[in-house]
Structure formats: C-alpha cells, structure tokens
Amino acid sequence: MGDLAGKVQSGQNYSVAHIGSLEGLEQFKGGKLFLKEDLNLTGTEISLNRMAAGTETPFSHKHKQNEEIYIVVKGKGQFLVDGEMIEVQEGSVLRVATDGDRAWRADPEEDMYFICIQAKQDSLEQWTATDGILVQRPVSWPK
Ligand code: ZN
C-alpha cells in the first residue's frame, strides 16, 4: 500500500488515483508522491513532485537501470546534469540517462511542479501505433 489509502479506485484493467490539487503534494515527504504501489504500475515508476520556491535537492544521484523523464507542469527551476545547468519551466520535458549525475532546484520565487517517470533504459520495444490494437466495435458510453 502506498500513500494514497482511500484515494485509489480500481477495476479489472485499471486503477485511478484522485489526488486533488498538486499544491496538496506538500503533505507527502519531500513534496514527492510515488505512484507505483498505489496504482500497481508494472513498467514505470511515476512520481508527482512539488518543490517549494528556493529549495533544492540535498544530494545528486544516478540510476542503475532506469532513465528518468521530468515533465515540468507548473513553475520553474533548474536542473544540473553532469555539471551542466538546464533552465526548465512549465512545458519543459527533460530525459536523463541512467548515468547522468542529476540534481535540481526550484526558482527562488516560484514553486516548481513536475512529474518524474522512471522506465528501464533501452527497454521500449513498441510504442504509439506499433503497440496499439484497434478494438473492432463502436465505443459505447454508459447512459
Ligand atoms: Zn531518480
């Protein structure tokens, strides 16, 4: 069980979390909510992150197997990857390979919100249309 007890709904082939406003992420340790356990993710780890204005990660890190994709959804800040500083803001999407030594900080005046997706580097074999299967019947919404 993850951090979202009571906020997750699931069916045979889905699970959905109702997290509410991303500002509420401050209630989780480090402003970080991991979703793997609550949503039973099997190919990725995803975290939702709120970094308060003027704060930074207390360490830098790399990964053993997983690349990370950071999607900034609100606010702005900077990433440091192998000593190179990268400005990010709402709409920035940054991929860091396993061996990238990374750290980040929020803007001094503005919180930064981002989604981080971890997936095994070089594992993707099919994507978009090559993995989709068109179901041969009309879509029928419940009344
Ligand atoms: Zn990481």
Side-chain angles (χ1 to χ4, degrees):
M1 181 70 87
D3 294 323
L4 287 174
K7 294 181 179 170
V8 178
Q9 219 181 294
S10 55
Q12 186 179 353
N13 289 311
Y14 76 92
S15 44
V16 57
H18 304 287
I19 293 156
S21 165
L22 295 182
E23 289 174 15
L25 291 171
E26 66 185 352
Q27 70 185 288
F28 301 104
K29 187 167 188 264
K32 191 177 256 305
L33 172 63
F34 289 101
L35 296 174
K36 179 188 176 304
E37 286 182 52
D38 281 307
L39 293 183
N40 191 31
L41 305 179
T42 65
T44 56
E45 168 64 292
I46 299 176
S47 64
L48 305 180
N49 299 268
R50 177 188 184 184
M51 183 135 232
T55 63
E56 62 183 73
T57 52
F59 53 81
S60 66
H61 76 283
K62 298 181 176 189
H63 275 262
K64 295 174 190 165
Q65 293 193 319
N66 297 340
E67 65 184 6
E68 286 184 316
I69 301 91
Y70 300 88
I71 304 169
V72 180
V73 293
K74 190 177 174 190
K76 58 184 179 181
Q78 298 164 324
F79 274 74
L80 194 61
V81 181
D82 299 327
E84 184 176 340
M85 195 166 75
I86 302 154
E87 299 286 344
V88 294
Q89 61 193 331
E90 180 176 330
S92 299
V93 180
L94 171 67
R95 175 213 174 234
V96 182
T98 51
D99 206 36
D101 177 352
R102 74 209 69 177
W104 54 89
R105 63 186 182 186
D107 182 81
E109 315 271 310
E110 219 176 309
D111 294 350
M112 178 167 69
Y113 295 82
F114 63 92
I115 298 166
C116 180
I117 301 171
Q118 285 184 31
K120 189 174 181 182
Q121 190 162 290
D122 299 320
S123 68
L124 193 62
E125 295 178 349
Q126 300 186 98
W127 54 91
T128 318
T130 61
D131 194 59
I133 302 168
L134 197 61
V135 176
Q136 298 296 334
R137 63 166 167 66
V139 174
S140 173
W141 290 94
K143 300 265 185 252

mmCIF file with all atom_site columns, all heavy atoms in Angstrom, residues 61 63 68 70 102 118, ligand 1:
data_model
loop_
_atom_site.group_PDB
_atom_site.id
_atom_site.type_symbol
_atom_site.label_atom_id
_atom_site.label_alt_id
_atom_site.label_comp_id
_atom_site.label_asym_id
_atom_site.label_entity_id
_atom_site.label_seq_id
_atom_site.pdbx_PDB_ins_code
_atom_site.Cartn_x
_atom_site.Cartn_y
_atom_site.Cartn_z
_atom_site.occupancy
_atom_site.B_iso_or_equiv
_atom_site.pdbx_formal_charge
_atom_site.auth_seq_id
_atom_site.auth_comp_id
_atom_site.auth_asym_id
_atom_site.auth_atom_id
_atom_site.pdbx_PDB_model_num
ATOM   1  N  N   . HIS A 1 61  ? 22.091 12.366 -7.754  1.00 0.00 ? 61  HIS A N   1
ATOM   2  C  CA  . HIS A 1 61  ? 22.009 10.913 -7.873  1.00 0.00 ? 61  HIS A CA  1
ATOM   3  C  C   . HIS A 1 61  ? 22.050 10.461 -9.325  1.00 0.00 ? 61  HIS A C   1
ATOM   4  O  O   . HIS A 1 61  ? 21.865 11.251 -10.243 1.00 0.00 ? 61  HIS A O   1
ATOM   5  C  CB  . HIS A 1 61  ? 20.773 10.365 -7.141  1.00 0.00 ? 61  HIS A CB  1
ATOM   6  C  CG  . HIS A 1 61  ? 19.462 10.563 -7.836  1.00 0.00 ? 61  HIS A CG  1
ATOM   7  N  ND1 . HIS A 1 61  ? 18.796 11.768 -7.868  1.00 0.00 ? 61  HIS A ND1 1
ATOM   8  C  CD2 . HIS A 1 61  ? 18.677 9.691  -8.516  1.00 0.00 ? 61  HIS A CD2 1
ATOM   9  C  CE1 . HIS A 1 61  ? 17.672 11.625 -8.538  1.00 0.00 ? 61  HIS A CE1 1
ATOM   10 N  NE2 . HIS A 1 61  ? 17.560 10.386 -8.952  1.00 0.00 ? 61  HIS A NE2 1
ATOM   11 N  N   . HIS A 1 63  ? 21.148 6.515  -11.648 1.00 0.00 ? 63  HIS A N   1
ATOM   12 C  CA  . HIS A 1 63  ? 20.336 5.312  -11.529 1.00 0.00 ? 63  HIS A CA  1
ATOM   13 C  C   . HIS A 1 63  ? 21.072 4.094  -12.050 1.00 0.00 ? 63  HIS A C   1
ATOM   14 O  O   . HIS A 1 63  ? 21.982 4.209  -12.865 1.00 0.00 ? 63  HIS A O   1
ATOM   15 C  CB  . HIS A 1 63  ? 19.007 5.486  -12.282 1.00 0.00 ? 63  HIS A CB  1
ATOM   16 C  CG  . HIS A 1 63  ? 17.979 6.171  -11.460 1.00 0.00 ? 63  HIS A CG  1
ATOM   17 N  ND1 . HIS A 1 63  ? 17.002 5.501  -10.771 1.00 0.00 ? 63  HIS A ND1 1
ATOM   18 C  CD2 . HIS A 1 63  ? 17.796 7.479  -11.173 1.00 0.00 ? 63  HIS A CD2 1
ATOM   19 C  CE1 . HIS A 1 63  ? 16.249 6.365  -10.112 1.00 0.00 ? 63  HIS A CE1 1
ATOM   20 N  NE2 . HIS A 1 63  ? 16.707 7.579  -10.334 1.00 0.00 ? 63  HIS A NE2 1
ATOM   21 N  N   . GLU A 1 68  ? 15.185 8.633  -16.519 1.00 0.00 ? 68  GLU A N   1
ATOM   22 C  CA  . GLU A 1 68  ? 14.110 9.415  -15.921 1.00 0.00 ? 68  GLU A CA  1
ATOM   23 C  C   . GLU A 1 68  ? 13.695 10.513 -16.881 1.00 0.00 ? 68  GLU A C   1
ATOM   24 O  O   . GLU A 1 68  ? 14.535 11.147 -17.522 1.00 0.00 ? 68  GLU A O   1
ATOM   25 C  CB  . GLU A 1 68  ? 14.549 10.044 -14.589 1.00 0.00 ? 68  GLU A CB  1
ATOM   26 C  CG  . GLU A 1 68  ? 14.632 9.034  -13.468 1.00 0.00 ? 68  GLU A CG  1
ATOM   27 C  CD  . GLU A 1 68  ? 14.974 9.656  -12.127 1.00 0.00 ? 68  GLU A CD  1
ATOM   28 O  OE1 . GLU A 1 68  ? 15.880 10.509 -12.059 1.00 0.00 ? 68  GLU A OE1 1
ATOM   29 O  OE2 . GLU A 1 68  ? 14.337 9.273  -11.140 1.00 0.00 ? 68  GLU A OE2 1
ATOM   30 N  N   . TYR A 1 70  ? 11.547 14.004 -16.750 1.00 0.00 ? 70  TYR A N   1
ATOM   31 C  CA  . TYR A 1 70  ? 10.961 15.012 -15.867 1.00 0.00 ? 70  TYR A CA  1
ATOM   32 C  C   . TYR A 1 70  ? 10.098 15.929 -16.723 1.00 0.00 ? 70  TYR A C   1
ATOM   33 O  O   . TYR A 1 70  ? 10.590 16.512 -17.689 1.00 0.00 ? 70  TYR A O   1
ATOM   34 C  CB  . TYR A 1 70  ? 12.051 15.839 -15.194 1.00 0.00 ? 70  TYR A CB  1
ATOM   35 C  CG  . TYR A 1 70  ? 13.008 15.031 -14.345 1.00 0.00 ? 70  TYR A CG  1
ATOM   36 C  CD1 . TYR A 1 70  ? 14.154 14.457 -14.899 1.00 0.00 ? 70  TYR A CD1 1
ATOM   37 C  CD2 . TYR A 1 70  ? 12.780 14.853 -12.986 1.00 0.00 ? 70  TYR A CD2 1
ATOM   38 C  CE1 . TYR A 1 70  ? 15.045 13.725 -14.121 1.00 0.00 ? 70  TYR A CE1 1
ATOM   39 C  CE2 . TYR A 1 70  ? 13.662 14.125 -12.202 1.00 0.00 ? 70  TYR A CE2 1
ATOM   40 C  CZ  . TYR A 1 70  ? 14.793 13.563 -12.772 1.00 0.00 ? 70  TYR A CZ  1
ATOM   41 O  OH  . TYR A 1 70  ? 15.669 12.846 -11.999 1.00 0.00 ? 70  TYR A OH  1
ATOM   42 N  N   . ARG A 1 102 ? 22.492 13.931 -11.460 1.00 0.00 ? 102 ARG A N   1
ATOM   43 C  CA  . ARG A 1 102 ? 21.466 14.972 -11.506 1.00 0.00 ? 102 ARG A CA  1
ATOM   44 C  C   . ARG A 1 102 ? 21.073 15.532 -10.154 1.00 0.00 ? 102 ARG A C   1
ATOM   45 O  O   . ARG A 1 102 ? 21.099 14.822 -9.144  1.00 0.00 ? 102 ARG A O   1
ATOM   46 C  CB  . ARG A 1 102 ? 20.213 14.434 -12.192 1.00 0.00 ? 102 ARG A CB  1
ATOM   47 C  CG  . ARG A 1 102 ? 19.455 13.458 -11.276 1.00 0.00 ? 102 ARG A CG  1
ATOM   48 C  CD  . ARG A 1 102 ? 18.702 12.428 -12.036 1.00 0.00 ? 102 ARG A CD  1
ATOM   49 N  NE  . ARG A 1 102 ? 19.648 11.525 -12.685 1.00 0.00 ? 102 ARG A NE  1
ATOM   50 C  CZ  . ARG A 1 102 ? 19.314 10.460 -13.400 1.00 0.00 ? 102 ARG A CZ  1
ATOM   51 N  NH1 . ARG A 1 102 ? 18.050 10.165 -13.578 1.00 0.00 ? 102 ARG A NH1 1
ATOM   52 N  NH2 . ARG A 1 102 ? 20.219 9.689  -13.941 1.00 0.00 ? 102 ARG A NH2 1
ATOM   53 N  N   . GLN A 1 118 ? 10.109 7.060  -14.370 1.00 0.00 ? 118 GLN A N   1
ATOM   54 C  CA  . GLN A 1 118 ? 11.283 6.180  -14.467 1.00 0.00 ? 118 GLN A CA  1
ATOM   55 C  C   . GLN A 1 118 ? 10.888 4.963  -15.281 1.00 0.00 ? 118 GLN A C   1
ATOM   56 O  O   . GLN A 1 118 ? 9.883  4.325  -14.990 1.00 0.00 ? 118 GLN A O   1
ATOM   57 C  CB  . GLN A 1 118 ? 11.689 5.630  -13.100 1.00 0.00 ? 118 GLN A CB  1
ATOM   58 C  CG  . GLN A 1 118 ? 12.370 6.576  -12.174 1.00 0.00 ? 118 GLN A CG  1
ATOM   59 C  CD  . GLN A 1 118 ? 12.799 5.853  -10.892 1.00 0.00 ? 118 GLN A CD  1
ATOM   60 O  OE1 . GLN A 1 118 ? 13.114 4.658  -10.900 1.00 0.00 ? 118 GLN A OE1 1
ATOM   61 N  NE2 . GLN A 1 118 ? 12.823 6.584  -9.801  1.00 0.00 ? 118 GLN A NE2 1
HETATM 62 ZN ZN  . ZN  B 2 .   ? 15.989 9.373  -9.741  1.00 0.00 ? 1   ZN  B ZN  1
#
